[in-house]
Amino acid sequence: MTSDLDSLQQLASACAACRRCGLAEGRHQVVVGRGNPRARLLLIGEAPGAQEDLEGLPFVGRSGQLLDRLLQSAGIDSNRDVYICNVVKCRPPDNRKPSAAELAACRPWLEQQIALVDAPLVVLVGATALQGVLGIKGGITSLRGQWRPWQGRWLMPILHPSYLLRNPSERPGSPKALTLDDLRQVRERLAQLPAPL
Ligand code: URA
């Protein structure tokens, strides 16, 4: 019988051969995911940047390092507790936002990945993930930090770490402080989940 882990491997191989959109032309590598594929928390970001494209792993550049630090400060271990991926698996040129067509082309890969990881909690990292997963354009500042039921899971949008890098204040009420509060909420809900079978 094929396990979900084997299936994630198969998904990664299929993604590596993907030419469903023009981003295939400029990529060094397809960036599928990192972390624990059995984690109960799935983080979904936007798209690989330069460093991710070189290493073949999501969130390993400056944004990713900040994300890891915020997760750690909230008591979430980014290797043990989380599986991380993006709505788009190939780097858009000059780190531009993925187009609606690119989001749509990559959507079947994301849907398979969500089903295979099967995490009860999903965090959408930034406005593009919010658009790519829920189809909601804009409104991340008012929607962040709020849980919503989604396809039998609980989902929360948070601000993107690249925005936090541009707004580094840690004062109470700052974007960074709010994101830490949001991630603490995530950690609490993780801790409340019933033990896995
Ligand atoms: N790196 C990623 O992998 N995803 C993002 O959304 C940003 C940087």
Side-chain angles (χ1 to χ4, degrees), residues 18-183:
C18 177
R19 307 206 70 82
R20 287 181 189 167
C21 79
L23 296 182
E25 305 300 323
R27 72 180 179 223
H28 287 101
Q29 303 191 56
V30 178
V31 176
V32 181
R34 74 166 164 102
N36 178 1
R38 299 196 190 284
R40 309 168 88 207
L41 171 60
L42 173 64
L43 254 65
I44 307 177
E46 178 174 322
Q51 196 59 34
E52 289 78 15
D53 176 58
L54 286 177
E55 292 191 36
L57 293 169
F59 280 107
V60 289
R62 281 183 69 222
S63 290
Q65 287 159 15
L66 175 56
L67 181 64
D68 279 358
R69 284 200 300 278
L70 289 166
L71 287 166
Q72 197 178 21
S73 303
I76 299 170
D77 183 312
S78 63
N79 292 311
R80 185 196 55 201
D81 300 330
V82 194
Y83 185 82
I84 305 181
C85 68
N86 284 307
V87 282
V88 163
K89 314 291 182 216
C90 297
R91 182 189 181 202
D94 303 319
N95 297 339
R96 65 159 169 74
K97 235 175 84 91
S99 67
E102 288 156 358
L103 287 169
C106 226
R107 176 85 193 199
W109 298 129
L110 179 65
E111 282 174 5
Q112 281 183 50
Q113 209 169 16
I114 292 171
L116 288 169
V117 177
D118 198 21
L121 305 185
V122 177
V123 166
L124 301 180
V125 185
T128 305
L130 181 65
Q131 182 187 346
V133 173
L134 295 183
I136 299 176
K137 262 186 146 180
I140 183 91
T141 34
S142 52
L143 297 176
R144 57 137 279 278
Q146 290 178 39
W147 288 111
R148 61 173 66 211
W150 179 73
Q151 298 189 351
R153 313 177 199 281
W154 285 98
L155 181 150
M156 179 196 280
I158 65 168
L159 299 175
H160 197 282
S162 64
Y163 176 71
L164 305 180
L165 284 170
R166 298 192 299 274
N167 295 275
S169 164
E170 298 190 356
R171 277 198 300 272
S174 65
K176 212 164 169 182
L178 293 174
T179 304
L180 199 48
D181 291 346
D182 296 345
L183 290 173

